[in-house]
Amino acid sequence: MVSHNTPDDGAVDGGEGDATGADGADESDPASTRRGLLRAAAGATVAGAAGTAGCLGVTTPADTAAQYELTGNVDHFVGPRWLADNREDVVVLDARDSENFRKERIYGARRVPFDAITSRASTDAGLVPDVAAIATAFGEVGVSPDDDVLVYGASVGSRVTRTAFALAALGHAGSVRVLNGGISGWNGRLGTGSRDRIEPTEYDPDPAESAWVTREWLADRVGTFNGDGPGLVDVRVPEAYLGAPAADALDPDNDRHGHLPGAIGVHWVGNVSGRRMTDPGRLVQLYEGEAELDRAGTVVVYGDDNVDPTSTWLTLRAIGFEDVRVYDGGFGEWANVEGDRGRYPVETATSVVIETEGSVGGGDGGGDFSCTG
């Protein structure tokens, strides 16, 4: 088994300490996008900080929660009001690290070790989600295949979406939703500390192999991406996508740099505005209008690892794309493949990049945000 390395202690926590009141929140400016050909020399990464709207003046817990409500036809993402109305009917999962989980969490929430749900297994076709390890991790915190689940974090960053993807990879029969705004938007009961352990259950997975693709699946379709074949989106920063020489964004562990031939570059942070989902209308414009992805066709997303692409995976599903898949092996596997690399080509020429402006608040990946700087 090959595991994605994350700074996480793997502890399983349950039980509650004292209940407390809700905290404040932030609201960043909405993301903006435009299509263009990005020159390698441009070298601009997505800003890691958001505006500070909502940090000045006085707001009530109800005001805070209202900031994160959703309107329109959006799947999978829900606001705090939905959780308040359905709290007794869903299993709540916390995607943050153990320290933040113990400090303050939604009352009754459970935490799944992040290293377990990013585990990968090696097959002849390449790396795939390790469904056995993932199922065990969810079972240890009492999640059953039929449970309706809500996942939250500090924001709607990639730790949250990876947790949602891990459930989808298991073929989870219950619904899976993500809390827009994360814990900052919750104005209900909170818990602290660690007291009791959750009663474990045996999670019997029904792997949904249509949720991911393998290295060999991609190799068979090289030359067709974003043409006659499936859509392919590289979610990394533009410098990594272009293999810009000496760029800090390049992974030093990769033998080759660039992107899969035909892939479109759309940095995943454009999906997130502070702690919330970017305006859905803007996301439709970004992915369907500007990137020209077919919502009725297959779309594959990949990054350096198997965490960040899940943000784009869930975002596309939320705005109505029907068949979205994750390349779980990631560019790291593709770039470092052994043997005949002619079957796994890497492109470095400037290609179509959709420029994005976004930020992730709260430490869920992509940068932190605080009202005090």
Side-chain angles (χ1 to χ4, degrees), residues 10 57 153 158 160 163 178 182 234 236 249 349 361 363 368-369 373:
S158 56
V160 175
T163 305
V178 164
D234 186 315
R236 298 172 299 159
D368 295 331
F369 169 86

Side-chain angles (χ1 to χ4, degrees), residues 262-283:
I264 293 175
V266 188
H267 189 197
W268 74 272
V269 175
N271 304 325
V272 185
S273 179
R275 301 179 192 272
R276 64 181 300 158
M277 179 187 190
T278 295
D279 177 73
R282 195 173 294 276
L283 290 168

Side-chain angles (χ1 to χ4, degrees), residues 158-220:
S158 56
R159 289 180 65 98
V160 175
T161 57
R162 178 64 203 192
T163 305
F165 174 81
L167 286 164
L170 297 182
H172 192 76
S175 64
V176 180
R177 296 178 172 90
V178 164
L179 182 62
N180 197 38
I183 193 170
S184 293
W186 176 242
N187 62 355
R189 192 180 182 187
L190 295 172
T192 62
S194 178
R195 187 179 60 200
D196 303 320
R197 293 185 67 86
I198 299 296
E199 186 67 29
T201 186
E202 184 173 346
Y203 194 112
D204 186 15
D206 182 17
E209 296 186 6
S210 61
W212 68 81
V213 301
T214 65
R215 181 191 66 230
E216 295 306 311
W217 189 96
L218 290 168
D220 287 341

